[in-house]
Amino acid sequence: MANEGVLRIEKLRKSFGDNVVIDGLDLTVQPGEVVVVIGPSGCGKSTLLRCINGLEEIQGGRILLDDQEVDGRSKDIARIRQKLGMVFQSYDLFPHKTIIENVTLSPIVVQKRPKSEVIAEGEALLQRVGLLDKRDDYPRQLSGGQKQRVAIARALAMKPEIMLLDEITAALDPEMVHEVLDVILDLAREGKTMIIVTHEMSFARAVADRVIFLEGGHIVEEGIPEQFFTNPSTDRARAFLRTFEFDAVRSHVPKLQENDAASA
Amino acid sequence: MELLGLDVLFKGSNAMRLLQGLGIAVEISIISVVISLILGMLFGIFMTWKNPVAKVISRIYLEIVRIMPQLVLLFIVFFGATRALNINISAELSSIIVFSFWGVGEMGDLVRGSLESIPKHQYESAAALGMTKGQIYYHIVIPQAVRRLIPMSINLVTRMIKTTSLILMIGVVEVMKVGQQIIEANRMASPNAVFGIYGIILLLYFLVCWPISMLARHLEKKWSN
Ligand SMILES: Nc1ncnc2c1ncn2[C@@H]1O[C@H](COP(=O)(O)OP(=O)(O)O)[C@@H](O)[C@H]1O
Ligand SMILES: [Mg+2]
């Protein structure tokens, strides 16, 4: 099939009542591509990912994965969603299942794959995210960063064609951000197709093949990260990127100690 | 023995009658509890419907259950039905009607609460993993709702069993009633019987309710996430 693994979004329109959140958006994601979506809070980044996964009803346009329409109301939606792995900001593990059960539940009951095979794969995935020793724990025993890594493993266990990540580190303590993002960088290196919403700019720069800046329901600017982050072509993107910087307010420049000055 | 008047218990068929009374109370409790659990599940699911008519109906029902003391309901059903509708309902049946009416409301509200306590994100994460609606309920929602529901419903069952002593008020031959009769009959011969008999009744209730309370506490601990 010519369009194997290709996601095509055509003239997507999504509104909540009178509030038009996405207004005629076009986007094509090629297999192996990592697209990072950034933009101000409330610009519709989460809504876009939720539309791609059929969790929101859309008011216009269409979304095609492998030439099949993604439609939240259709009977086929559960089958199409198996090709889309989604990780939310709030991880949402199943609290009544152990870690390994969280990871293996869906492949067993949805894809009806042999249990022993699924468990072996689940253990390999836990190994990969560094949590095999937590195999039989319950989610409440894990830290936020550990839970989020399990959520990533749980999504990967379905062998999705595309991963959708919605601000997966936004709810984490700063020291846990890295352990989670390292897993994603590893996936990118391996060639996994991903659409990533994030506010971690240095991560965005490292992981993206293409950056998309969303505002007012449209793609305002898109480009390769080097160009987008160092020399954005629109004022809006420039203004947005400036909000991540701080100007120095130091009024006293501390005198350097003798030995510090010498070693400097 | 003399002091507590317990000798009365071993006179004639007194002990037998007391146990029979307890038997009827337990029978009424069990029947009402079973009805409450089954219909309460359905009522709880009904209460989660978004339909405004369903909301109003369940609201009114719940308010009645909460506001009316069971005793008043018992009088309304037992005497009211006899007077107003000219039908004769036995005391046992009216007790079962009233306790079920109460239990279905309370149980329904517990079921509604447990279902609604499952966050929207649990449904969405499961849906994102490709589960169908049925699979989401079977594997994710119901197991979590049941864990929250069981200790609370056991607590409700305990309360229902305790409340059966109310039945005495409308003349059902039940533990308290028998106890009272025994005491009355022996007022002259054994004036202390009142302590012994009520003591025994307390003990009997304790023996029925205590294991249930222990089970409730055990499950609560085991399933607190
Ligand atoms: N379920 C909803 N109902 C109504 N409005 C919503 C809903 N979800 C999101 N919105 C609105 O859509 C807009 C975009 O939200 P969202 O996609 O969450 O933004 P972002 O993820 O970029 O911060 C916001 O104005 C928000 O208020
Ligand atoms: Mg968001």
Side-chain angles (χ1 to χ4, degrees), chain B residues 189-211:
Chain B
S190 186
N192 288 329
V194 64
F195 301 111
I197 298 300
Y198 278 131
I200 294 284
I201 290 171
L202 263 173
L203 187 70
L204 287 177
Y205 270 105
F206 179 76
L207 287 180
V208 173
C209 289
W210 186 68

Side-chain angles (χ1 to χ4, degrees), chain A residues 50 53 78 81-82 84 86 88 90 92-97 105-106 109-110 112 140 154-155 158, chain B residues 119-122 124-132 135 139-141 143-144 147-148 222 224-225:
Chain A
R50 292 169 58 83
N53 210 359
R81 278 191 185 127
Q82 295 176 40
L84 293 158
M86 181 135 182
F88 300 87
S90 46
D92 305 299
L93 298 180
F94 304 130
H96 60 300
K97 302 261 177 214
L105 177 66
S106 229
V109 308
V110 175
K112 311 230 169 358
R140 64 174 178 277
R154 182 177 68 174
M158 295 294 283
Chain B
K120 176 170 158 260
H121 266 127
Q122 288 285 313
E124 288 190 343
S125 317
L129 286 165
M131 289 190 212
T132 60
Q135 288 167 335
H139 294 286
I140 307 301
V141 177
Q144 289 186 63
R147 276 169 171 72
R148 283 169 212 224
K222 190 173 158 199
S224 62
N225 273 327

Side-chain angles (χ1 to χ4, degrees), chain A residues 62-197:
Chain A
R62 52 184 202 156
I63 300 167
L64 298 167
L65 177 60
D66 297 343
D67 290 327
Q68 272 182 308
E69 186 145 2
V70 181
D71 173 4
R73 289 158 302 181
S74 87
K75 279 213 163 63
D76 254 2
I77 187 66
R79 205 167 45 75
I80 294 174
R81 278 191 185 127
Q82 295 176 40
K83 301 182 182 182
L84 293 158
M86 181 135 182
V87 184
F88 300 87
Q89 176 178 325
S90 46
Y91 16 96
D92 305 299
L93 298 180
F94 304 130
H96 60 300
K97 302 261 177 214
T98 62
I99 298 307
I100 188 74
E101 286 168 351
N102 264 275
V103 174
T104 56
L105 177 66
S106 229
I108 293 171
V109 308
V110 175
Q111 295 178 327
K112 311 230 169 358
R113 278 152 52 193
K115 210 168 166 174
S116 55
E117 175 196 309
V118 171
I119 289 174
E121 281 178 16
E123 285 169 344
L125 282 167
L126 286 179
Q127 173 89 56
R128 173 167 191 175
V129 299
L131 292 171
L132 189 53
D133 57 325
K134 306 286 183 197
R135 186 188 187 285
D136 298 313
D137 284 3
Y138 282 88
R140 64 174 178 277
Q141 297 167 276
L142 270 56
S143 73
Q146 292 172 329
K147 281 187 226 181
Q148 194 59 292
R149 284 184 277 154
V150 174
I152 294 166
R154 182 177 68 174
L156 288 172
M158 295 294 283
K159 306 191 185 198
E161 289 173 13
I162 301 183
M163 289 285 276
L164 308 171
L165 313 179
D166 189 3
E167 298 201 41
I168 58 171
T169 58
L172 299 181
D173 290 335
E175 72 268 23
M176 292 173 181
V177 169
H178 227 286
E179 67 189 39
V180 173
L181 296 185
D182 281 341
V183 173
I184 305 303
L185 284 167
D186 198 39
L187 288 175
R189 231 169 267 132
E190 214 182 57
K192 194 98 208 156
T193 317
M194 292 189 276
I195 304 178
I196 304 175
V197 171

Side-chain angles (χ1 to χ4, degrees), chain A residues 14-17 19-22 37-50 56 89 166-167 197 199 214, chain B residues 120:
Chain A
K14 167 72 205 168
S15 56
F16 294 102
N19 181 12
V20 179
V21 176
I22 295 171
V37 180
I38 64 172
S41 178
C43 73
K45 305 178 295 293
S46 300
T47 305
L48 174 63
L49 292 193
R50 292 169 58 83
E56 298 283 354
Q89 176 178 325
D166 189 3
E167 298 201 41
V197 171
H199 280 298
L214 205 64
Chain B
K120 176 170 158 260

